[in-house]
Amino acid sequence: EGFWMGQHLVTQETYTSVMGLNPSHIDDGEGFFRENLPVNNVSWLDAVSFCKAMTNLGKRHDHLPKGYEYRLPSEVEWEYACRAGSTAACCFGSDETQLEDYAWTFWNSNETTHRVGSKESNAWGLHDMHGNVREWCSDWYLPHSGDNLVDPLGAESGSGHITKGGSFLAEYEQCRSAHRHMNPTSYEHNSIGFRIVRYD
């Protein structure tokens, strides 16, 4: 089914304006967020709370079409959007040397996050899908069934949720479109953030 995905990761500035606090530990050195730096150190619960708050704000100020909501992407939505039509290891192909053009990773990040959108986008205009911070998805983690499913929503429960995408601490293997990771629902780390989707 159709959905709209954020072109960029949710930034510290946006998160703070909605939630009233900045959980990130990476800032300008004086305790303030730098413009357009991705929010990090957020748990899955924090990300879901942000989506609910964004939905409520959108409805209150008539910025959100009737019947629409913001939420985290499912794993399938995230990977579909990341690939942008590609069947290779990454949206740009499988040439590892091209990764630095699209992502902030262990090899070029100086072990810190960077301004969203400062690397090349994929074919659909989405930035930072392969690196900067890993991204929470809505799904509980389970091994893939191998079935040919349409829009699967994942398990109804589990021990943790899926994160996708590489990060500023990741090497090539962890930056592939298909790579998946699991973290506990309340887990926070400076290499994890999120982006949102809008749907009806």
Side-chain angles (χ1 to χ4, degrees):
E1 299 295 333
F3 61 95
W4 288 266
M5 175 174 272
Q7 184 178 9
H8 303 115
L9 297 155
V10 173
T11 64
Q12 293 182 33
E13 184 174 14
T14 300
Y15 188 93
T16 303
S17 69
V18 173
M19 304 301 287
L21 55 87
N22 181 11
S24 301
H25 298 159
I26 299 174
D27 53 39
D28 66 358
E30 298 180 0
F32 300 100
F33 53 74
R34 283 185 283 174
E35 186 178 5
N36 293 328
L37 216 58
V39 71
N40 56 358
N41 290 304
V42 285
S43 69
W44 183 88
L45 295 169
D46 294 331
V48 169
S49 293
F50 174 89
C51 292
K52 290 178 179 176
M54 277 283 290
T55 297
N56 290 335
L57 279 173
K59 290 177 178 178
R60 189 179 312 141
H61 298 290
D62 295 325
H63 296 155
L64 190 64
K66 187 175 181 180
Y68 283 78
E69 294 184 19
Y70 295 106
R71 61 169 170 79
L72 294 176
S74 69
E75 179 183 16
V76 169
E77 288 170 340
W78 190 96
E79 188 169 329
Y80 173 78
C82 177
R83 289 183 178 281
S86 171
T87 57
C90 297
C91 71
F92 52 82
S94 299
D95 182 357
E96 186 174 339
T97 62
Q98 288 186 270
L99 181 61
E100 66 178 296
D101 296 330
Y102 292 83
W104 294 106
T105 70
F106 174 79
W107 300 107
N108 63 357
S109 70
N110 198 28
E111 298 188 30
T112 189
T113 58
H114 291 265
R115 182 171 52 84
V116 300
S118 55
K119 290 290 187 178
E120 294 288 332
S121 71
N122 68 13
W124 292 351
L126 303 175
H127 293 268
D128 297 315
M129 300 296 286
H130 292 294
N132 212 351
V133 292
R134 284 189 288 133
E135 304 177 34
W136 286 112
C137 294
S138 60
D139 309 54
W140 291 97
Y141 181 90
L142 270 184
H144 285 310
S145 68
D147 296 331
N148 186 15
L149 303 174
V150 177
D151 290 341
L153 296 177
E156 294 184 4
S157 63
S159 57
H161 283 86
I162 293 170
T163 55
K164 297 282 286 182
S167 78
F168 65 88
L169 298 176
E171 298 191 22
Y172 175 75
E173 181 67 19
Q174 298 168 311
C175 296
R176 297 178 301 110
S177 302
H179 184 78
R180 60 204 305 255
H181 198 76
M182 185 274 285
N183 290 108
T185 301
S186 59
Y187 183 75
E188 301 171 1
H189 195 272
N190 66 359
S191 66
I192 301 178
F194 66 101
R195 78 180 70 216
I196 59 176
V197 299
R198 191 180 79 179
Y199 77 107
D200 63 0

